[in-house]
Every structure is written in structure tokens, then in C-alpha cells.
Amino acid sequence: MSTMPPRQQRARDGFTIGADPDVRTIGLLALFVILAALIGGLFWSRALGMHSAGLRGSERIGATFAPLGGESVVVNSVRATGAARRGGLLVGDVIEAVGGAPVPDVETADHAFLGQSLDIRVRRGKREVDLHLDAGGGDGRGQQGPADRG
């Protein structure tokens, strides 16, 4: 005679044979409700314009930046309909200062461009150019397509 207890059989879906079907139904319903809430929250947040909790300044004005030599930042793309384009920012401009404060790296540039109204000093070739950028008007968000690259 065997002293081991009988093994419970499992159906192909992983549930023990004889398991209460109501428990499975409730579990599947709960999973469905959670997924629906997540998807609904995503669409709702996009509709309210909160698609990025950590909105960066570059996304706000419609431009992207790249480091230049470790102590400067260069504009490497400008969205065709963004605030950066309306303010006169061009691909290749080296950001010298925003609001009078120096911009030594991309992180500083992203933080500096979070403001609504910005005075920017850029180096364009051998000239220094002062620009004023109003980040509050229009669609300044930086979702860029291939045509926006400089």
C-alpha cells in the first residue's frame, strides 16, 4: 500500500479539476476590469494633454538638443509647428543662455525650456543672436516626424 496522498489532477488551463467555475469567472472579470481601467486611464490622460508625466522643456517647445563638446548644447531638430520654430530657433544653433542663465548640458536646457516666455541667446555661426520664444501658444509639443529633422 502507498502512503503518499493522491495527486490532484489539473486540467489543461492549469486549474485543479473540480475547481469552482465561479472563482475562475470572477478572476477573469477582475483582470478584464483592471486592463480596461489602465487603457481608459491612458486615453483619458492623453485627451487631457498629460501624456508625459515628466514633460521636458524640449518636448514643450518642439525641439531636441544634443551635447556639443561637453560644455554646450546644440539644437539638432526643430518641429515644423512648434514654439521653437515660431521663436526663430534653428537646427545647428548653439544655446548660450536661457533667461540669462548659462546652459552647459542637455538636462539644464530641458529644465530651462519649461517656462512660458523665454529669452534665449544662441550662437549661430560666428554671430550671437537673441531670440524670444513664447512656449504658451499653439502646439509646442515635440512629437517630431522625419520631416522635422534639420
Side-chain angles (χ1 to χ4, degrees):
M1 247 189 170
S2 174
T3 59
M4 295 184 65
R7 287 182 18 184
Q8 290 190 0
Q9 290 184 316
R10 295 196 176 268
R12 278 192 260 182
D13 63 2
F15 289 99
T16 303
I17 292 179
D20 188 2
D22 290 337
V23 172
R24 280 194 268 178
T25 304
I26 291 170
L28 290 173
L29 182 61
L31 179 63
F32 175 75
V33 168
I34 290 169
L35 287 175
L38 288 172
I39 292 169
L42 176 67
F43 285 120
W44 183 255
S45 68
R46 285 193 177 266
L48 293 176
M50 299 183 305
H51 65 285
S52 177
L55 186 67
R56 298 180 348 210
S58 59
E59 294 168 339
R60 180 175 176 73
I61 67 166
T64 59
F65 310 113
L68 180 68
E71 291 297 318
S72 299
V73 175
V74 64
V75 178
N76 69 349
S77 71
V78 177
R79 183 182 170 142
T81 59
R85 176 68 48 98
R86 289 190 309 272
L89 206 57
L90 300 176
V91 172
D93 283 350
V94 177
I95 308 293
E96 297 284 323
V98 177
V103 181
D105 55 41
V106 174
E107 185 177 325
T108 304
D110 273 336
H111 183 71
F113 282 107
L114 285 173
Q116 291 284 351
S117 182
L118 307 163
D119 291 317
I120 307 164
R121 174 162 286 175
V122 299
R123 189 173 66 238
R124 191 174 285 164
K126 294 182 179 181
R127 300 181 308 138
E128 283 194 351
V129 179
D130 290 323
L131 303 171
H132 180 76
L133 193 143
D134 180 18
D139 179 16
R141 292 176 295 192
Q143 292 84 14
Q144 299 177 345
D148 296 327
R149 296 276 177 196

